Each structure stands twice: as structure tokens, then as C-alpha cells.
Amino acid sequence: MPNATLALAQALIARRSLTPRDDQCQELLISRLEKLGFRIERMRFGEVDNFWARRGNTAPLLCFAGHTDVVPTGPLEQWDSDPFMPVIREGRLYGRGAADMKSSLAAFVTAIEAFLETHADHRGSIALLITSDEEGSAVDGTVKVVETLKARGELLDYCIVGEPTCTDRLGDTIKNGRRGSLSGNLTIQGIQGHIAYPHLAKNPIHLAAPAIAELASTVWDQGNEYFPPTTWHISNINAGTGATNVIPGKLNMLFNFRFSTASTVESLTAQVHGILDKHGLDYQLQWELSGKPFLTPKAELAEAMRDAIRQTTQLDPQLSTTGGTSDGRFIADICKQVVEFGPINATIHKLNENVEVNDLEKLSQIYQLTLENLLTGIRDQTDSADTD
């Protein structure tokens, strides 16, 4: 239907779903899915609304995953229009969540609707995993739904996460993995004292400096075909009382690894402790793992989506693992093939967030063709013909 994706995207943007609020976005989606024969499970954990919807009981199971919550707007007076009153200007749809990721949610639904009009008896199953906790703490959202599905043995064959992945044109980038995120909270003990009597004190800044230099210069791995080398960076460091004549008694430092599948949590933590111990520091170190890296190599899902993108946009998308974390890190625990694909990401989390109106139906068509490639055997037949 003309502009069906646009209309649904506008309806979703009009709901003030500031994380972790959903503001009835999910009920809007559910009302459309129930008409298509989906079984709906509402899963509320803590203050977070999630739902799992499935149509069919056989393999392969293709899941669309996304989030209804959005980040705060920032100063309202700096927006050209109300961020929760979707408007179209010069061919672009403006509003908070337009790119991240309410347009993808709308395209999920319209793609499934169009697919089922002609393939009601498709093979396999279709599902949606939707949360309102991706932009926030991400503790009561997708991770909890995944735990529930895993506990009952309900695994996925393919998953498409609707994150905005494209850089310049719709269709130029598919994310087939993400780096992991590992943070450390390091405290180095010294002895506070008068700066004029340094022999009676121990300056933790001076003690830590050689270790920090070694950590900053360490090559953690070389990366691999899909990932750049692992990086280590300090995000915050502080010590002292604010006075110029007091040697501080301790130093606190926050740091983060963005790591590839070429390293493990165990290898990185062991290396850091080894460096700190080598320099004889008195320290405490707490670790927090936000997400392990995941990778989907070139296989059925990535190739099916690349075919769909070529048909729709005539672009040959690149596979990329750049960027921050996403809920794909949780879904990879129950699904061997996870990719992310969605609109251009140039305005996400910014003032005047927007997407091109013309991209919305193209996005829906890409999702629809991917469904056809994986759940109707069309791609299998094409591959066979190419081989012949």
C-alpha cells in the first residue's frame, strides 16, 4: 500500500516513548500483528515492556528485533519542530526516533503484511522481539526475553535487528557483528601527604603513570577479517583534594575495551592485571562486561539481505562491524545468524532527527524480499539456476 510505512512510522513517532517508557507503541504494533495471526506474549520485566510475537511453529525461524524507546530530546527550543509531532519537510520525516528506530519498526510490520498477502503458506516461522529498554540500562529488555526463550529451548535461525546502519545511502551497509564492551574501574592506592614532604607520602599518580603508559601502548590483538584491532581507552581519571599542596592518597580511573572476536574477556583481564602487578601497584579493579562481541559470517541471512538490497537499491552493501553495542549482543546467544540493517544513521540521537521519506518504502521492500529469499525458496531456486 502506498505510504503504509510512512503512516505507521508517524503514528509511532507521535508517542512519547522516552526510555524506558513505551507509551503504547507496542500495543499499536501488536494490533497489526494479531490480525496477521501472530501469537503475542507480553513480557514485562521491572518497569520495561517487551513482547514476543510468533507466527508458525516450524523452522527456519526468522525474527525481526527492535526497540520502541528513544533517547531524550535535548533542548526543545533547538528543534525546528516538536520532536513528537512528526512532520515532513522537503522530503524528510522529522521526529525523535525517525531513524532510531521507529521507521524500522514500521517497515517490519508493513513488510510482513505485504509478504503474507502472497505467501500466506510460506515455510518456516516469523517472529518479532520488541523491547523498550535498548536506549537505557538494557537490563530488563531484550536480555530478559532472550533468557526466557533460551530456558524453554526456543532458538532462532535468523535475526534482523532494525538498527540504523547506513552511512550515505540506504543500502550501503549491513552490520554483521559488533565489538564487545568491557569496562574497568581501577583504584590505585597511595599515601596522602604534604607536597613539601614527599618522602612521607606516596603519589598514586606518579606510581600509576608507567603502567598507564604501558596499557596505552599495548597491542591487544591484530583484529581479523571482520574486526579492527581491539582498543583500550581511559574515559575518566581523577585524584587529589583540589589543593595544590597535597599529594593525593588515591587515584581512580575508568577505562574501556572495545574488543573483537580475536580476544576474549579472560585474555584481556589477565593482561591488564599482569601489567598492574608488574609495576607493583596497590590496586583494586572491578570489571563490567556490557556485551561480548558477535559475528555472523557470510551465510544465508547476510546473502539473502544483500540480494534484497541489490534488487531494491542497485547498491552492493558492505558488511561492517563498526559502531557501538546493540541488542544483537544478547540475541546472538540464541541465534547463530544476526545482522543489523536500517536507515541512514547520520542524525540519530541528534536534534532534528530525520529520515528520507522515499527510503521508508524501500526499507520495507528490502525486509519483504529478505523474507521471500529465506522463507519461500526463491533464492534457492535462483542459486540453482545460476549454477546451471
Side-chain angles (χ1 to χ4, degrees), residues 42-60:
R42 294 171 176 83
M43 298 184 182
R44 185 172 175 84
F45 299 102
E47 299 300 314
V48 175
D49 290 311
N50 312 279
F51 78 82
W52 169 250
R54 178 166 179 167
R55 184 183 190 275
N57 298 305
T58 60

Side-chain angles (χ1 to χ4, degrees), residues 39 42 73 79 124 129 187 222 253 282 302 359:
R39 301 188 308 277
R42 294 171 176 83
T73 61
W79 282 73
L129 193 170
T187 300
Q222 299 295 329
M253 184 173 81
D282 179 8
D359 282 349

Side-chain angles (χ1 to χ4, degrees), residues 138-288:
V139 297
D140 286 321
T142 297
V143 63
K144 290 289 182 65
V145 178
V146 166
E147 289 172 357
T148 301
L149 296 175
K150 186 176 183 179
R152 67 193 192 199
E154 194 166 1
L155 307 181
L156 315 180
D157 294 289
Y158 312 115
C159 184
I160 299 169
V161 185
E163 288 292 337
T165 58
C166 300
T167 55
D168 299 311
R169 296 176 60 190
L170 180 71
D172 61 18
T173 306
I174 299 171
K175 297 291 177 74
N176 67 321
R178 294 276 190 162
R179 294 176 296 174
S181 177
L182 175 65
S183 297
N185 186 336
L186 174 65
T187 300
I188 297 174
Q189 298 293 337
I191 298 176
Q192 183 174 309
H194 197 294
I195 211 160
Y197 302 92
H199 59 289
L200 300 177
K202 285 186 177 180
N203 193 321
I205 301 174
H206 294 186
L207 295 172
I212 292 173
E214 184 171 347
L215 288 166
S217 62
T218 295
V219 177
W220 306 96
D221 59 48
Q222 299 295 329
N224 55 37
E225 177 185 359
Y226 296 99
F227 287 98
T230 291
T231 60
W232 178 89
H233 281 280
I234 296 171
S235 57
N236 196 301
I237 188 167
N238 62 80
T241 65
T244 61
N245 61 351
V246 178
I247 292 172
K250 66 179 180 180
L251 175 147
N252 181 253
M253 184 173 81
L254 304 178
F255 62 82
N256 179 265
F257 281 105
R258 292 301 165 107
F259 66 105
S260 73
T261 52
S263 288
T264 65
V265 173
E266 293 75 18
S267 69
L268 296 175
T269 56
Q271 282 181 273
V272 171
H273 282 285
I275 291 171
L276 297 175
D277 293 340
K278 183 177 74 174
H279 289 276
L281 299 175
D282 179 8
Y283 70 92
Q284 297 84 43
L285 177 54
Q286 290 81 43
W287 294 98
E288 180 182 358

Side-chain angles (χ1 to χ4, degrees), residues 298-316:
K298 296 174 183 177
E300 297 92 349
L301 177 57
E303 291 307 306
M305 177 153 278
R306 292 179 79 174
D307 284 351
I309 291 170
R310 291 187 191 107
Q311 284 185 253
T312 305
T313 68
Q314 287 72 57
L315 295 178
D316 189 14

